[in-house]
Structure formats: structure tokens, C-alpha cells
Amino acid sequence: MEIMEFCQKVKRSLAAGAGEGIKVSVKQITKNNGVVLHGITISKAGMNISPNIYLDGLYAAYEHGETFHAVMEEVMKIYEKSKVEASIDMSFFMDYGKMKEKVVYKVIGYERNKELLLQIPHILFLDMALVFYCHAPQKELDCATILIYNSHLKMWGVTKERLYWDAQNNTGAILPARILSIEEMMREVLSDNIAKNAPKEDAEEFGESGRMYVLGNEKKLFGAAAMFYDGVLDQFSEKMKKNFFLLPSSVHEVILIPDDGIQEPEELWKMVCEINETQVEPEEVLTDAVYYFSRKCKKIKKLF
């Protein structure tokens, strides 16, 4: 069974039990890096927002022997968790005067997103691009993010330069940067007893040979962009008193490795490529590259 056939089967099953005023649609949604995901949208009459339920993972489970009944149970669990009970007031998005305080940026790879970049305002940096979105926390949705397109600039009557200026002012304040040692990050991610009982590390103890650090933001959302915040990399290098390598872990985080003179850039590049291939979701990959920050020049350059 092909995935679109599977999606139609899920749609028919949902539609058969749907009440009046409920519409079920199959959608293909293009994400970062040109990744196409397949899913369904369950819309209620009179509502201006509907959850997307992605089916790619459930399709893979079904192809590996999961029953369709179990698939539908999981779909309903996801729907019950993600559905909203009332429309969301998004009128502010039509008025840039109200919207400008919510404009922030994230960073994506250039090569995998060439087609998308034709449609959206962006700032190129090496093989990456800063792109802009509206960060609008909503208690009903936790956080709504809306990618900004060229058509939005035309509607608002603002330039890309104005957008960038506002995003520069907002992003660090709305999504504050943070740097954790790899040990601290593991303790945060893991919940087993070994992690809980591990000896604590101090994130300010910079410069120990072989140590790695994770740069992101406090909300764990598109945190790789923190490497473009004013002063973040410069301050880190001054604390370590060293240059350092930057490894793009994902669009959400960057790994920082102090240059102790023992690291081989090509080996680091091979590691980035392998991790992107095997451990990072395709839509969350930033680039297959290794970067370097010079304490003297205070600039990022690409090595591989």
C-alpha cells in the first residue's frame, strides 16, 4: 500500500465516525529541506484553526505489521491531545505595527532549501540562510509559528531590511541563548537514575580539554540561530580563551568544541555527516558542514 492510499484509508475511517460539521482532508506538507510529510487535517465548521496529524510514522508502523485498528487508536489519541476548542484571534498578523514585536529569525541550510528561499525573505550567510517567522505564543497552542513570505512583506508594505532589524532586536530577547556542557544536556534529556545521580558539571568551567558544549535557546526551538546573536560566540571564546569549532547538530542546536590543537576538522565533518544521516530527522538537518570561530577575527568561517 502506498502512503497516499494509506492516508485515504485513514480519512475514510475518520469520516465515517465524524459528526456534523467535521471535515477530514488529506494533505501533503513541505517542511524544511524540502521534506514532504503526509497527513490529515480534521476541521470543524466555524473554526479558523485545525490540527495536522502526520501519518508518515504510523504508515511505517503499519507496513511493519501494526494493525490498522491500532493505527486509528493512535490517530485519535493525537487528535484529542492536539485539538482546540475555539478559534484563535490572528488579526494582529495583518497589521505589522502589532506584529513587529513577534518577528524573530531562525537559520536553515541554503542548498536543501533553494526553492523555498525564492518565496521567502532571507539573509544569506555562508551556506546558511536566516529566515523570518512570527513567534506568537498562544495558550491554546503552546506556541504558534508562522513563516514569513515575500507576499507578507508586500501586504505589510515593509522591506526585508526592516524585518531583519526587528528580528535582530527581538530574537535574543524572546528566545534567549544558553550554552550547556554536553554532560548537562544529557542530564536534561535523560531521566534514568544514572543520569540523575551523575556528578554535576559547571557550565562556566570552560576550557577543559576535549569538552563539548551545546548552544541553543531556552525554549529549545530553532536554537541554532543563537550563533548569530550579538556577542554570544565572542563571549564564549573569551571565557575559554580559545578558538572553537561549530558543528550544526540540527536547526535547534549547535555543538561547540574548543580548539585544543588535537581535533581534525575532516574527522569532525565526517561525524556531522554521519549524525545527520542516522540521528537527525531530515527536516531538522541544518547543514553537512563544520565551521570555525576565530577569537581574533570574531567571525565564523566554513572549513568543510
Side-chain angles (χ1 to χ4, degrees):
M1 179 182 292
E2 297 294 331
I3 188 165
M4 288 303 293
E5 185 182 351
F6 173 77
C7 291
Q8 292 293 343
K9 185 175 181 178
V10 172
K11 174 186 172 180
R12 289 192 296 270
S13 181
L14 286 171
E20 188 175 348
I22 301 293
K23 181 181 178 181
V24 183
S25 306
V26 173
K27 289 193 174 183
Q28 294 186 75
I29 300 170
T30 302
K31 306 288 280 187
N32 188 47
N33 296 328
V35 175
V36 177
L37 297 181
H38 305 79
I40 55 170
T41 300
I42 305 174
S43 307
K44 288 184 179 180
M47 296 277 288
N48 68 352
I49 189 166
S50 307
N52 289 320
I53 301 175
Y54 295 111
L55 298 179
D56 300 80
L58 292 173
Y59 169 70
Y62 181 69
E63 287 291 283
H64 285 84
E66 186 66 87
T67 66
F68 188 72
H69 177 74
V71 166
M72 292 308 302
E73 285 188 333
E74 185 62 25
V75 168
M76 292 309 300
K77 285 180 184 178
I78 296 171
Y79 174 67
E80 289 299 323
K81 184 178 180 180
S82 60
K83 70 179 181 180
V84 293
E85 300 297 338
S87 291
I88 306 299
D89 182 9
M90 298 296 291
S91 59
F92 71 88
F93 191 74
M94 305 300 291
D95 182 349
Y96 191 74
K98 298 177 180 177
M99 228 281 296
K100 64 180 182 179
E101 295 181 354
K102 299 177 175 64
V103 172
V104 293
Y105 59 65
K106 63 181 178 179
V107 63
I108 62 176
Y110 169 76
E111 194 63 34
R112 294 182 175 97
N113 291 287
K114 285 182 178 179
E115 188 173 339
L116 173 64
L117 290 171
L118 294 174
Q119 306 172 56
I120 62 177
H122 59 278
I123 304 292
L124 291 180
F125 184 86
L126 299 176
D127 58 345
M128 298 175 281
L130 287 179
V131 301
F132 307 93
Y133 66 101
C134 169
H135 181 276
Q138 299 276 358
K139 64 180 181 180
E140 299 90 347
L141 303 176
D142 185 22
C143 178
T145 62
I146 307 170
L147 187 63
I148 294 175
Y149 281 75
N150 295 329
S151 58
H152 294 137
L153 294 192
K154 186 176 180 180
M155 175 182 72
W156 296 323
V158 301
T159 64
K160 178 177 73 173
E161 290 71 25
R162 170 64 189 277
L163 197 68
Y164 179 57
W165 172 266
D166 290 331
Q168 279 280 69
N169 290 331
N170 296 337
T171 309
I174 294 174
L175 302 166
R178 67 170 187 171
I179 298 176
L180 300 179
S181 69
I182 203 74
E183 295 87 356
E184 288 176 311
M185 179 61 71
M186 290 301 294
R187 275 200 306 275
E188 188 173 272
V189 172
L190 300 175
S191 58
D192 56 76
N193 291 332
I194 295 177
K196 288 180 180 179
N197 296 328
K200 291 188 175 182
E201 302 284 345
D202 186 347
E204 296 300 317
E205 292 177 0
F206 298 123
E208 291 184 29
S209 180
R211 291 198 68 181
M212 296 192 297
Y213 302 86
V214 181
L215 169 64
N217 62 45
E218 293 182 1
K219 294 186 182 294
K220 305 176 187 178
L221 179 71
F222 305 132
M227 66 176 145
F228 297 103
Y229 293 5
D230 287 341
V232 168
L233 299 185
D234 187 28
Q235 291 169 20
F236 183 72
S237 67
E238 289 303 314
K239 287 179 179 178
M240 290 189 299
K241 301 190 183 308
K242 292 180 181 178
N243 304 331
F244 56 88
F245 300 94
L246 297 92
L247 279 56
S249 175
S250 72
V251 294
H252 302 296
E253 296 168 343
V254 177
I255 304 297
L256 311 179
I257 303 179
D259 183 3
D260 298 317
I262 58 175
Q263 296 88 355
E264 293 290 341
E266 186 172 356
E267 292 303 312
L268 294 177
W269 171 71
K270 290 178 181 178
M271 181 175 70
V272 169
C273 293
E274 180 181 356
I275 290 174
N276 283 343
E277 181 69 25
T278 62
Q279 298 184 37
V280 183
E281 293 295 331
E283 67 270 24
E284 296 189 346
V285 170
L286 181 49
T287 63
D288 295 326
V290 171
Y291 307 97
Y292 193 78
F293 184 84
S294 167
R295 185 182 173 201
K296 179 180 179 180
C297 299
K298 303 184 187 302
K299 290 183 178 181
I300 302 172
K301 67 178 179 179
K302 181 183 176 185
L303 299 182
F304 281 92

